[in-house]
Amino acid sequence: MLIDSHVNLHAPQFDEDRDAVIARAREAGVSLMVEISDKLSTFEATHGLAMAHPDIWCTVGVHPHEAKDHTSVTADELVALAARPRVVGIGECGLDFHYDLSPRETQAAVFRVHIEAARRSGLPLVVHTREADAIMADILEQEQANGPFRFLMHCYTSGAELAKKAANMGAWFSVSGIATFKAAEDVRAVIRAMPADRIIVETDCPYLAPVPHRGRRNEPAYISHVLQALADIRGWSLQEAEMRTTEAFFALFDRIPRGSGR
């Protein structure tokens, strides 16, 4: 079962051919997609995609780039939106100290609100982290001590130490097209050490198209290249990689019934 755990189909890059992109994903054998919320102003579009398609589910949340515009967001608000049909996760949220498009303190505060929403809703948290390893580890450890929550380190490209700490806290990890990039051996080294039963795959489309499509707009139809890369990195057969990532996906996104999609 091919599953793309992280798509951004509401993005403007798909405005001219969104239906065709979804059709190509299905033709490529993609059975399920999780449409990711990056800010509340576009959540209706995100949720609308999930409501319109039996093979698309969605999350609700605020990307760290957008945190500056969501300083008043509350866990109550996120939990209420998460109660809608076909919402299966909280996020994408977290810390991005590479671009610093929102103040770091604001990113951290908004991230903690999302953690509380995940804790209260029981839904998994989709975590974005970039160049913030030490502070991310501190926040996750502090918040786990306050009460458990499940979380996914999405498109993981950060360091081995944070990965180890997150894994010890029970984190899932998602692998993206970056795993196919020639210069990404450090990423592949971390992938080799990830817990085998908690790895899933994603495209993060329209970004990070895998080889041989690198440099173009990414699409869910390309998820098979990511799955093959994961299989090669871990020494699994393609069938084993598909089985393992499918099991891990449903264990994490457990609001999605098995047998869903197309």
Side-chain angles (χ1 to χ4, degrees), residues 19-238:
D19 289 343
V21 168
I22 294 170
R24 283 195 292 272
R26 293 167 178 161
E27 290 166 6
V30 180
S31 298
L32 284 173
M33 293 168 269
V34 180
E35 159 71 11
I36 301 297
S37 174
D38 58 353
K39 52 188 174 182
L40 297 189
S41 62
T42 56
F43 175 68
E44 295 302 334
T46 288
H47 187 245
L49 281 164
M51 294 299 292
H53 300 282
D55 47 355
I56 299 178
W57 303 73
C58 75
T59 67
V60 58
V62 177
H63 192 286
H65 290 344
E66 312 293 338
K68 63 184 180 299
D69 298 321
H70 294 78
T71 55
S72 62
V73 68
T74 66
D76 286 343
E77 184 177 8
L78 293 172
V79 169
L81 291 171
R84 290 192 187 184
R86 306 188 69 80
V87 179
V88 297
I90 304 293
E92 165 182 8
C93 58
L95 305 174
D96 192 311
F97 293 174
H98 177 77
Y99 288 108
D100 279 327
L101 296 183
S102 290
R104 294 183 176 187
E105 298 80 4
T106 301
Q107 292 184 45
V110 173
F111 181 38
R112 288 182 189 272
V113 169
H114 284 72
I115 292 173
E116 176 61 20
R119 188 184 289 122
R120 286 169 48 185
S121 67
L123 296 178
L125 189 74
V126 179
V127 177
H128 173 109
T129 183
R130 189 170 185 189
E131 297 180 20
D133 289 25
I135 296 177
M136 175 58 71
D138 286 347
I139 291 175
L140 290 172
E141 288 170 345
Q142 292 165 12
E143 292 292 343
Q144 284 284 337
N146 291 337
F149 57 95
R150 293 175 299 140
F151 63 103
L152 168 68
M153 304 299 278
H154 124 78
C155 188
Y156 192 80
T157 58
S158 293
E161 184 177 354
L162 174 59
K164 183 177 180 180
K165 289 180 178 179
N168 288 340
M169 287 183 266
W172 277 254
F173 295 83
S174 63
V175 173
S176 74
I178 292 174
T180 70
F181 296 177
K182 184 177 180 180
E185 183 51 41
D186 55 339
V187 172
R188 289 186 284 274
V190 173
I191 291 170
R192 292 186 189 103
M194 289 175 178
D197 61 340
R198 300 200 302 272
I199 304 175
I200 62 178
V201 289
E202 64 167 279
T203 59
D204 199 14
C205 66
Y207 316 109
L208 305 176
V211 175
H213 302 287
R214 190 175 181 185
R216 307 175 203 167
R217 183 190 66 175
N218 202 1
E219 297 188 10
Y222 302 159
I223 192 64
S224 60
H225 298 292
V226 181
L227 189 68
Q228 183 65 65
L230 173 62
D232 294 343
I233 292 164
R234 294 294 301 229
W236 298 337
S237 68
L238 186 60

